[in-house]
Amino acid sequence: MSKSSIYLPAGFRFAGVTCGIKASGKPDVSLIVSDRPLVAAGVYTTNQIVAAPVVLCRSRTPSSTVRAVVTNSGNANACTGSQGDADAKAMCAHVASLVGCDETDVLVMSTGVIGKLLPMEKVKSGIEHAVAELADREEAFFAAAEAIRTTDKDRKTESRELELGGESIRIAAMAKGAGMIAPNMATMLSVICTDASIEPKEANAMLRRVARVSYNRVSVDGHTSTNDTLLLLASGTGTPLQGDSLCLFEQELTELAIQLAKQLVEDGEGATHVMQIRVTGATNDASAETIAKTVAASPLVKTAITGGDPNWGRMVSAAGYAGEPIEPAKVSLRVCEELIYENGTPLKFDAASLSATMKEHPQVNLDLCVGGGNGEAVYWSSDLTTDYVRFNSEYTT
Amino acid sequence: MSKSSIYLPAGFRFAGVTCGIKASGKPDVSLIVSDRPLVAAGVYTTNQIVAAPVVLCRSRTPSSTVRAVVTNSGNANACTGSQGDADAKAMCAHVASLVGCDETDVLVMSTGVIGKLLPMEKVKSGIEHAVAELADREEAFFAAAEAIRTTDKDRKTESRELELGGESIRIAAMAKGAGMIAPNMATMLSVICTDASIEPKEANAMLRRVARVSYNRVSVDGHTSTNDTLLLLASGTGTPLQGDSLCLFEQELTELAIQLAKQLVEDGEGATHVMQIRVTGATNDASAETIAKTVAASPLVKTAITGGDPNWGRMVSAAGYAGEPIEPAKVSLRVCEELIYENGTPLKFDAASLSATMKEHPQVNLDLCVGGGNGEAVYWSSDLTTDYVRFNSEYTT
């Protein structure tokens, strides 16, 4: 999916370069610049331990005057005190001086090691290099997507083109995140660029709704990072989208965000399967979400998926401790579309055959009905493997 | 600890026998009988998917007329519908008929595979065998503690003798639980026997307070079982404990319960270390407990402990997503008594030396101050190893 060609929205230029933050010598500075003011909305980590770039971005969005987003990988600029705040600001100021805009119109993201100061000389020369490389070509977009990676196996991108009211609108988006490499807590960064015209207030509200059913519905290890950032940048200058067009745009954006969010889980550290948990029959959607999240986080459910074990006792009992109301006598479960538990009663099924199905499919679907209500939610999670444990228990501090 | 001699309280007889529920041929029926009425209090799983024996016990405690507790291992009698309810009742009725008491004065516990009906003929003959073996000797107590095991490496017991108001009081307790073997969800059973005289209302309230700071403060994998049961049985016939004596008894009971709860974590599936998380400075004790529990459940913190990695970024950021108020600028962390993060600022420390200390010690202490409040809590958890994943991802359904 990440290899398909990209519908580049008008008004954006991209670059990804290497400045030397990473010992590996891989790209580590990513830049997105627009020559006209962008509408920008952001959704950020809910962790109370917040990285410096997140603090800065929060204060600068929503906006209708953003001109650039600079990102470094390899260092999260988190838990770095006042020097970290100063460094985040300096990154923005340096970009502003080179592209000719106000420094408050530049956003910044960082991802990588926690608790280490940024090597600012390297970062500054990386920014200069990136500005020189800016281009509105696909290769430049991919380079920018490469340069935000940390432990990701591959770059993660999604793109769409749609017709709204006779106008063609393009969306191109990138993300990073695969879990964590010690002591790297910065799991998730994502930028969605579009040439749609959207009002800042609409963009802001829409991005929250989109995040709720996409990025906020995936988990590798349940550990919310200090740096999570999702940005929507819109370069359109025409009449802002409204009515049906706005709804259609949001629908498209939601589908794109879900695809990108699922890429995070597919690339979860050590993951061999994605599980999709669909909860229905809950008292309301929020309750269904909590139940789905609880099932997704259970190490016993995750290891059952790893082993191709249709272990319904683990799945059903995880729903039972989610702290949300369920009706045990109405609980039913399908694993890979096969009904194996119905209205609180186990059904006979061919365990060996279902196990083989689970092992074959990279995505295992769990459909769990928890009662007679109307609440429902879908959640995606990676499984838990010995590789995850090995990777994260290696001594790295 | 579990091998030390036991102070057997007056009024109890014990037995543990093999009836053939387990394919391994290991003991699987455990019986505790008193010839006089017992005060009995119980604390049970909060999972909404509840095993039949738990439903029955809940309806029969607190009580001042309990005469026996029968337990089988190897089968949880959970998710077994109305036949499961009938089987749990039949176990009690069979014990009652043999020891000569009302069937409502018998309690029952089950642990093992979920979703399978009990082999009742075997269970009944096991009960008959157990009744014949009842004795008030240490070996009988140990046999009873053996017969409630599932994946436990060893039996788990604790015992105390204390003087209260010139009277000698004895407490002997057993527990089982090591995590879960698929599809076995019944993690935790525990019975505390004492010859103290306690009023049922006091026993009930006390057991809730004791469970809150002991059994409810440990986690192997965060998956609350369908069968968890903690019973307090008191055989004393004198004046019920009150005032200072009651306080001292509760203090002793709390210490004993914490020791037994820690045994569960030490024996956590695949565990190589116990981590003790002490949270201070929270807004209140409940908030501290939530933060400690969140840190304890983080796979990234658990794998850091496995690898002997003083990875403070993971520990501090886990506190940040617990959903409880913290003051980031006042956050401090000690790992194995060494201060490595103070008032939101990383300190220099010898990572190799601290890592060696962590690896050497079977218990790793994390002392985390999260602000200026008075709330505090201690929580114990096992680490996360490749053995845990291997054990639980083996195909077993």
Side-chain angles (χ1 to χ4, degrees), chain A residues 48 182 309 314 317 324 397, chain B residues 47-48 182 309 314 317 324 397:
Chain A
Q48 292 176 78
D309 183 358
R314 294 182 182 181
S317 64
E324 294 293 327
T397 292
Chain B
N47 198 312
Q48 291 176 81
D309 183 358
R314 294 182 182 181
S317 64
E324 294 293 328
T397 292

Side-chain angles (χ1 to χ4, degrees), chain A residues 46-50 78-81 114-116 180-185 221-226 269 297-301 303-304 306-328 331 341 344-346 349 351-353 355 359 384-397, chain B residues 46-50 78-81 114-116 180-185 221-226 269 297-301 303-304 306-328 331 341 344-346 349 351-353 355 359 384-397:
Chain A
T46 55
N47 199 312
Q48 292 176 78
I49 306 287
V50 182
C79 299
T80 42
I114 276 190
K116 291 217 157 72
M180 323 222 182
I181 176 166
N184 174 354
M185 307 300 297
D221 43 24
H223 198 114
T224 304
S225 100
T226 51
E269 284 166 353
S298 160
L300 286 166
V301 173
T303 49
T306 305
D309 183 358
N311 194 322
W312 58 267
R314 294 182 182 181
M315 300 159 191
V316 167
S317 64
Y321 71 79
E324 294 293 327
I326 67 171
E327 299 170 74
V331 171
Y341 191 74
T345 307
F349 65 96
S353 150
S355 173
K359 286 179 182 166
L384 176 60
T385 65
T386 55
D387 279 351
Y388 175 90
V389 176
R390 209 169 287 121
F391 187 65
N392 284 300
S393 59
E394 276 165 15
Y395 178 65
T396 49
T397 292
Chain B
T46 55
N47 198 312
Q48 291 176 81
I49 306 288
V50 181
C79 298
T80 43
I114 277 191
K116 292 218 156 74
M180 324 224 181
I181 178 168
N184 174 353
M185 308 300 297
D221 43 25
H223 198 113
T224 304
S225 101
T226 52
E269 284 167 354
S298 161
L300 287 167
V301 173
T303 50
T306 306
D309 183 358
N311 193 322
W312 57 267
R314 294 182 182 181
M315 300 159 191
V316 167
S317 64
Y321 71 80
E324 294 293 328
I326 66 171
E327 299 170 74
V331 171
Y341 191 74
T345 307
F349 65 96
S353 150
S355 172
K359 286 178 182 166
L384 176 61
T385 65
T386 55
D387 280 352
Y388 176 90
V389 176
R390 207 169 287 122
F391 187 65
N392 283 299
S393 59
E394 277 165 12
Y395 178 67
T396 49
T397 292

Side-chain angles (χ1 to χ4, degrees), chain A residues 17 29 43 49 52 76 113 131 175 217 231 252 324 329 347 375 377 394:
Chain A
V17 302
V29 170
V43 174
I49 306 287
V113 177
V131 169
R217 292 281 176 86
L231 297 177
E252 200 72 31
E324 294 293 327
L347 303 181
E394 276 165 15

Side-chain angles (χ1 to χ4, degrees), chain A residues 151-170:
Chain A
T151 60
D152 308 69
K153 280 200 222 70
D154 208 347
R155 66 176 183 241
K156 299 175 172 70
T157 63
E158 283 287 334
S159 186
R160 296 282 190 283
E161 188 172 37
L162 60 157
E163 291 282 320
L164 287 180
E167 299 278 322
S168 165
I169 283 177
R170 295 175 155 212

